[in-house]
Amino acid sequence: AYEPVWAIGTGKVATPEIAQDVHAKCRSILADMYGQETADSVRILYGGSVSPDSVDGLLAKPDIDGALVGGASLSAESFGRVINFEA
């Protein structure tokens, strides 16, 4: 999982483009180390303050395979929206 240091505990979220760039770099490093097939099979999650407002944009990106949900999981309505994202 990836979470920007500046997002930890702040409620701030990376833009989908920033998160995608970092996830793509992580996948590229995995491909260099273990081959493309392995890199493609690894699920890389985003973990920085995923919310109902940010989930669709984040999970629409090709290298973001899921989300670690923090505070949004404390409300059934928010969590329901996150797990029913629209990519």
Side-chain angles (χ1 to χ4, degrees), residues 19-87:
Q20 168 58 28
D21 287 347
V22 174
H23 281 71
K25 181 64 175 176
C26 291
R27 197 170 309 281
S28 173
I29 291 168
L30 288 169
D32 289 345
M33 294 175 71
Y34 304 106
Q36 192 63 52
E37 184 177 348
T38 297
D40 290 341
S41 70
V42 171
R43 300 293 139 234
I44 305 173
L45 309 179
Y46 179 79
S49 300
V50 175
S51 70
D53 295 331
S54 64
V55 68
D56 294 340
L58 289 165
L59 295 185
K61 297 299 181 184
D63 288 298
I64 302 176
D65 300 312
L68 295 175
V69 183
S73 67
L74 300 176
S75 159
E77 184 177 338
S78 291
F79 189 60
R81 173 64 184 88
V82 168
I83 63 173
N84 290 297
F85 70 93
E86 299 174 12

